[in-house]
Amino acid sequence: MCFSAALALPLLPNLEKNSANCTSNCSGKDEDSNKGQSVKLSLPAYKWRLVIAYDGTRFSGWQYQQSTPTVQCVLEEALTKKMKINRKELCLVGASRTDAGVHAWGQVAHFVTPFNYETLDGIHRAVNGLLPSDIRVREFSPAAPEFHARFSVTSKIYCYQVYNSTIMDPFLRHYAYHSEYKLDAAVMRDAAKHFVGKHDFSAFANTSRNDRVPNPVKTILRFDVVEKGPLLRLEVEGSGFLYRQVRNMVALLLQVGRQAVPPDIVVRILESRDRKELAKYTLLLPPHGLSLETVKYNEEHLILPTDSPASSFGRHHSISKCKVLFV
């Protein structure tokens, strides 16, 4: 149920800056691009935060494109249909521009509306009802005016799954890369430690079709190699990532795990700052093993506005009990 749009609404500061990339058609850009076409919105407005999960198999990535299906395009269609506002007014912005075929469990996005809601459970359920089964909004929350899905990020966690067995598990074929080579997880952990810290990752970034040159210096907070039977989960948390950086880092670790190259090869390639140096040892891994797991934020920007509705995490159905009279 909506409040009337005529009610006093809070102003959103710096909305033109925070609305960057609302409508830009940006296929193939780096994962943490922050610049784009800004859109002026009619003030005042309310801001909302979504946590989204999707199977990226059939999508051409997150970012809106006119010619091919993307997650942002499908989500915008559902939101604009339910909110009855156009996409420029909605101004949906995602935390990460995941590539074609990449999945997400914890993608985050924000959008704005010119009206508030008393409760979010109903609208949450309605939006999910309009989405295809391979996209789900896991959380629907109010957001502070200062919150921005991309600019408020402190770190992101990606996971690349590798199924290490002679025979591939058919149930994981869309969500894990199959390695028939026996991998030494302990050696891979040793090599992964070299990625941790602040480095220039130019050697691990593919050339993007983006006009601007992103800052190649990123901070990796942790890089874990977790074994679950034949399944290896390579989990990396960082301040940001260059275009296809995660898949390139994992590709080199697989070469280390096969014992084709020594663990200290990571240091040599990092110091080279040359993508051609990495290409001597490995090729880019396919996207289907990669998933955006979590996006972490500045805690101050996650404080809910006053007089806002409670966050919605979905709710279970219940069966009404009735008394049956026997004659």
Side-chain angles (χ1 to χ4, degrees), residues 124-173:
H124 186 183
R125 182 180 177 184
V127 169
N128 273 336
L130 292 170
L131 290 171
S133 59
D134 47 4
I135 303 176
R136 278 295 173 268
V137 174
R138 296 173 46 220
E139 179 184 341
F140 198 130
S141 301
E146 298 78 18
F147 175 81
H148 192 283
R150 186 172 301 126
F151 300 145
S152 299
V153 171
T154 57
S155 68
K156 299 175 185 176
I157 300 175
Y158 281 90
C159 176
Y160 197 97
Q161 295 195 132
V162 178
Y163 195 78
N164 190 202
S165 178
T166 55
I167 306 297
M168 180 61 187
D169 183 339
F171 292 102
L172 294 176
R173 70 190 187 280

Side-chain angles (χ1 to χ4, degrees), residues 293-314:
E293 296 289 295
T294 306
V295 182
K296 296 183 179 181
Y297 287 97
N298 182 328
E299 291 294 331
E300 293 181 358
H301 291 184
L302 292 179
I303 297 174
L304 298 184
T306 57
D307 301 324
S308 63
S311 299
S312 173
F313 300 90

Side-chain angles (χ1 to χ4, degrees), residues 148-207:
H148 192 283
R150 186 172 301 126
F151 300 145
S152 299
V153 171
T154 57
S155 68
K156 299 175 185 176
I157 300 175
Y158 281 90
C159 176
Y160 197 97
Q161 295 195 132
V162 178
Y163 195 78
N164 190 202
S165 178
T166 55
I167 306 297
M168 180 61 187
D169 183 339
F171 292 102
L172 294 176
R173 70 190 187 280
H174 295 307
Y175 313 104
Y177 173 74
H178 181 210
S179 174
E180 297 182 66
Y181 292 91
K182 183 63 177 177
L183 300 174
D184 187 332
V187 176
M188 292 170 68
R189 289 188 192 98
D190 289 339
K193 293 176 184 177
H194 295 302
F195 286 120
V196 178
K198 189 174 183 179
H199 304 287
D200 184 322
F201 284 93
S202 297
F204 290 87
N206 278 32
T207 302

Side-chain angles (χ1 to χ4, degrees), residues 15-24 36-40 91:
L15 190 56
E16 183 173 349
K17 171 189 175 184
N18 291 350
S19 301
N21 300 312
C22 295
T23 60
S24 56
Q37 179 182 357
S38 62
V39 176
K40 293 182 180 179
C91 197

Side-chain angles (χ1 to χ4, degrees), residues 22-273:
C22 295
T23 60
S24 56
N25 186 352
C26 308
S27 60
K29 293 191 176 181
D30 65 285
E31 293 179 7
D32 293 298
S33 166
N34 287 339
K35 293 184 179 180
Q37 179 182 357
S38 62
V39 176
K40 293 182 180 179
L41 299 179
S42 299
L43 296 177
Y46 288 90
K47 185 175 282 189
W48 309 96
R49 178 174 62 89
L50 306 178
V51 179
I52 309 146
Y54 49 85
D55 179 334
T57 303
R58 72 181 183 94
F59 296 105
S60 297
W62 161 266
Q63 187 68 26
Y64 178 87
Q65 298 179 45
Q66 293 181 338
S67 58
T68 57
T70 67
V71 177
Q72 182 179 1
C73 182
V74 175
L75 183 58
E76 281 184 350
E77 185 177 349
L79 288 170
T80 55
K81 183 174 183 179
K82 184 59 185 176
M83 309 297 177
K84 293 180 171 50
I85 58 178
N86 64 48
R87 67 180 302 266
K88 288 187 178 181
E89 294 172 314
L90 188 76
C91 197
L92 181 70
V93 178
S96 179
R97 298 178 179 183
T98 55
D99 207 359
V102 175
H103 314 294
W105 172 249
Q107 172 73 285
V108 178
H110 79 257
F111 67 95
V112 295
T113 61
F115 42 75
N116 199 1
Y117 288 94
E118 291 180 342
T119 63
L120 294 178
D121 283 342
I123 191 72
H124 186 183
R125 182 180 177 184
V127 169
N128 273 336
L130 292 170
L131 290 171
S133 59
D134 47 4
I135 303 176
R136 278 295 173 268
V137 174
R138 296 173 46 220
E139 179 184 341
F140 198 130
S141 301
E146 298 78 18
F147 175 81
H148 192 283
R150 186 172 301 126
F151 300 145
S152 299
V153 171
T154 57
S155 68
K156 299 175 185 176
I157 300 175
Y158 281 90
C159 176
Y160 197 97
Q161 295 195 132
V162 178
Y163 195 78
N164 190 202
S165 178
T166 55
I167 306 297
M168 180 61 187
D169 183 339
F171 292 102
L172 294 176
R173 70 190 187 280
H174 295 307
Y175 313 104
Y177 173 74
H178 181 210
S179 174
E180 297 182 66
Y181 292 91
K182 183 63 177 177
L183 300 174
D184 187 332
V187 176
M188 292 170 68
R189 289 188 192 98
D190 289 339
K193 293 176 184 177
H194 295 302
F195 286 120
V196 178
K198 189 174 183 179
H199 304 287
D200 184 322
F201 284 93
S202 297
F204 290 87
N206 278 32
T207 302
S208 147
R209 290 190 292 272
N210 192 359
D211 291 333
R212 74 181 193 87
V213 179
N215 182 2
V217 178
K218 306 294 179 184
T219 300
I220 301 299
L221 303 174
R222 66 181 179 91
F223 204 145
D224 301 327
V225 180
V226 181
E227 294 180 89
K228 294 187 176 181
L231 188 67
L232 291 181
R233 289 176 54 87
L234 291 90
E235 300 174 1
V236 56
E237 179 176 0
S239 61
F241 298 94
L242 301 173
Y243 184 52
R244 296 182 174 176
Q245 178 186 335
V246 175
R247 287 157 62 188
N248 280 319
M249 291 191 297
V250 173
L252 184 60
L253 290 183
L254 291 188
Q255 291 294 84
V256 172
R258 296 167 183 166
Q259 299 184 350
V261 293
D264 63 2
I265 192 69
V266 173
V267 177
R268 288 159 48 191
I269 294 177
L270 278 172
E271 291 177 347
S272 76
R273 302 180 183 180

